[in-house]
Amino acid sequence: ERLFSAVVESTNDAIIVQDLSRTITAWNKAAERLFGYTAEEAVGQPIDIVIPPDRRQEEVSRFSDRLSRGESIEQFETVRLHRGGREVHVSLSVSPIRSSAGWIVGAAGTARDVTESKRTQRALDREIEERQRIFETSQDLILVTDTAGNFVQVSPSVRTILGYEPSEMVG
């Protein structure tokens, strides 16, 4: 029990436990850091304190149905709210908690902050789109090869400069 408590408190993943009425019954230090509420403030409150209002009904129906059937939800990316009101992108996993008699009595969830990786991915996507736009509209001849020297991408200008269709050169 003591070792289990130490593990729960030392993990970087927010761990939240709720009962069937969706009331928070346990909240670890990582949840405090991620959502801004202390355990004392969060325990006894509805889980809705961290769910954006526009997502509450959808997630209640999505999660409740699956959890009531004893299913777990693994690595579901969604948005939650920090106490200060800012959105936090998280990867969420939720599993049903069963009593010793086998009845589902609640749910335990882990949340990992993926806000920064989402921001990085969006920036990378924008950069890729911008490079693709430059590539597609350039009047210069741009030829991209793999390590063996095979063309993997050629700019559309190959048609006017060399007289080839791009599809004739790649492959």
Side-chain angles (χ1 to χ4, degrees), residues 12 17 28 62 89 98 101 104 108-109 111 138-139 142 155 162 166:
N12 288 326
V17 178
N28 72 347
R62 178 184 296 158
H89 292 268
R98 295 182 183 273
I104 295 172
S138 175
Q139 299 302 311
I142 303 172
S155 62
L162 299 179

Side-chain angles (χ1 to χ4, degrees), residues 19-170:
D19 62 20
L20 291 178
S21 68
R22 303 182 73 243
T23 299
I24 298 168
T25 60
W27 183 270
N28 72 347
K29 294 286 185 200
E32 290 182 354
R33 290 188 300 274
L34 183 60
F35 298 113
Y37 295 95
T38 65
E40 292 77 24
E41 293 167 323
V43 171
Q45 296 296 315
I47 193 65
D48 289 349
I49 64 171
V50 296
I51 301 175
D54 64 329
R55 294 177 183 250
R56 290 179 185 156
Q57 193 53 47
E58 170 194 348
E59 294 199 13
V60 166
S61 60
R62 178 184 296 158
F63 290 161
S64 294
D65 291 346
R66 290 184 63 187
L67 290 169
S68 67
R69 292 190 304 265
E71 296 177 28
S72 294
I73 293 107
E74 296 293 329
Q75 304 299 310
F76 173 71
E77 287 197 8
T78 189
V79 174
R80 291 293 182 255
L81 290 176
H82 184 273
R83 178 182 189 162
R86 69 177 164 82
E87 290 186 342
V88 180
H89 292 268
V90 297
S91 175
L92 188 65
S93 294
V94 184
S95 298
I97 298 173
R98 295 182 183 273
S99 69
S100 56
W103 296 98
I104 295 172
V105 295
T110 61
R112 177 171 289 158
D113 188 350
V114 294
T115 303
E116 191 56 40
S117 64
K118 286 286 214 193
R119 187 176 300 125
T120 301
Q121 185 61 51
R122 280 193 305 272
L124 180 59
D125 290 345
R126 281 193 304 272
E127 186 173 325
I128 290 169
E129 288 171 11
E130 179 64 22
R131 286 178 186 229
Q132 189 63 33
R133 251 190 319 279
I134 291 168
F135 185 83
E136 294 293 329
T137 60
S138 175
Q139 299 302 311
D140 296 326
L141 180 61
I142 303 172
L143 305 170
V144 180
T145 62
D146 61 16
T147 55
N150 300 309
F151 293 115
V152 292
Q153 193 174 16
V154 296
S155 62
S157 60
V158 74
R159 188 178 302 112
T160 55
I161 296 172
L162 299 179
Y164 291 100
E165 289 300 318
S167 60
E168 294 176 304
M169 296 188 66
V170 176

